Amino acid sequence: MRAEAIKGHVDLLVLSVLQRSPAHGYAVAERLRKRSSGVFDLAEGTIYPALYRLEGQGLVESRWRTVGGRRRRVYRLTTAGEQALSGRRRHWDAFATAMQAVLS
Amino acid sequence: MRAEAIKGHVDLLVLSVLQRSPAHGYAVAERLRKRSSGVFDLAEGTIYPALYRLEGQGLVESRWRTVGGRRRRVYRLTTAGEQALSGRRRHWDAFATAMQAVLS
DNA sequence: CTTGACGATTAGCACCACTAAGTATACGGT
DNA sequence: ACCGTATACTTAGTGGTGCTAATCGTCAAG
C-alpha cells in the first residue's frame, strides 16, 4: 500500500486494533498486516510514532512489560480513546461515502 | 472534510471529475463539492497544484480558453490519464476494502 | 463604485508517513 | 560457539502534499 494513501488514517487503524485488546507496537503492526491481508504493511517508523502521538493525546496509555527478557510497551485504549475511535469511524464512513459518490 | 484524510486521494478525485468532461480548475472544485454533497470542499491551493502535478505527469493536458473576458485553463484527461485513473480506482477499492476489514 | 462571484497563481507552512540506522534479546540451525 | 532471523523499541532526517493567505484580474449586480 502506497504511503500517501493512508495519511490521516493510521491513527484510526491503530485505535481500531487496540480496541479489541491491548497490544505492544510490534503486535499492532502484525495485526494490521494480518487483518488487512497484507495490504497495510506499516513500517516501524510509522507505527511507533503513531503510538507516541496517540499517547500524547491521551487516547492510549502504556506500561512496560517484560516477557522472556524482551521489553514490551503495551498500549491500551483510554476512555477518551474509545470516544475518539467512534468519532473517527464515523468520519471514515463519511469520507468513504463521499469518495464513492465522486467515483461512481 | 479534514485535510489529512484526503491526502493521497486528491489526484484520484480530480482525474475522476475530469473523466466525464474537460473542465477548468474552478469548475473541478465545484464539481467535487457538488458530487460529494459538500464533503470535499478543496481550497484553491489544493486543486491548482494538483492539476499542475497531473499535467507534469502527463495525465492531463490543458489549453487556454477565454470566456467573457475571463481566462480559463481547461484541462482534459490524456490517454495516460485514463489508464492512471483506472489503476487508481482499483487502488482505492483495495484500500477501502482493507480499511473495512480492519474496522469491522 | 463597491461588492461578490468567477478564475488563476504561488510562496511558505505544517503535518505525517517513510527511510534508515542503531540498540537489544531469544532461539534454531550449523 | 557462531550466525541468521524474528522479535521489539527508538529516533533523526527526508519528502510529499494539502493548506493558508496573499496577489492579480474580469465581470455583473446593487
Side-chain angles (χ1 to χ4, degrees), chain B residues 80-95:
Chain B
E82 301 264 10
Q83 290 167 2
L85 174 55
S86 90
R88 292 186 195 204
R89 276 178 188 276
R90 280 194 302 274
H91 187 263
W92 162 258
D93 286 339
F95 173 65

Side-chain angles (χ1 to χ4, degrees), chain A residues 2 5-6 17 19 23 29 33 37-39 41 43 48 50 60 74 79 81 91 95 98 100 103:
Chain A
R2 311 241 312 112
I6 64 169
V17 300
Q19 189 182 34
R33 233 186 336 268
S37 304
V39 173
D41 188 15
Y48 290 113
V60 304
V74 178
T79 303
H91 187 262
F95 173 64
Q100 203 50 48
L103 294 182

Side-chain angles (χ1 to χ4, degrees), chain B residues 3 6 10-11 13-14 29 32 41-53:
Chain B
I6 64 170
V10 168
D11 290 3
L13 289 171
V14 170
L32 281 176
D41 188 14
L42 304 191
E44 296 160 313
T46 296
I47 180 76
Y48 290 113
L51 286 167
Y52 307 153
R53 195 164 54 231

Side-chain angles (χ1 to χ4, degrees), chain A residues 3 6-8 10 43-46 53 68-70:
Chain A
I6 64 169
K7 285 217 182 208
V10 168
E44 297 162 311
T46 295
R53 196 163 56 232
R70 287 197 189 91

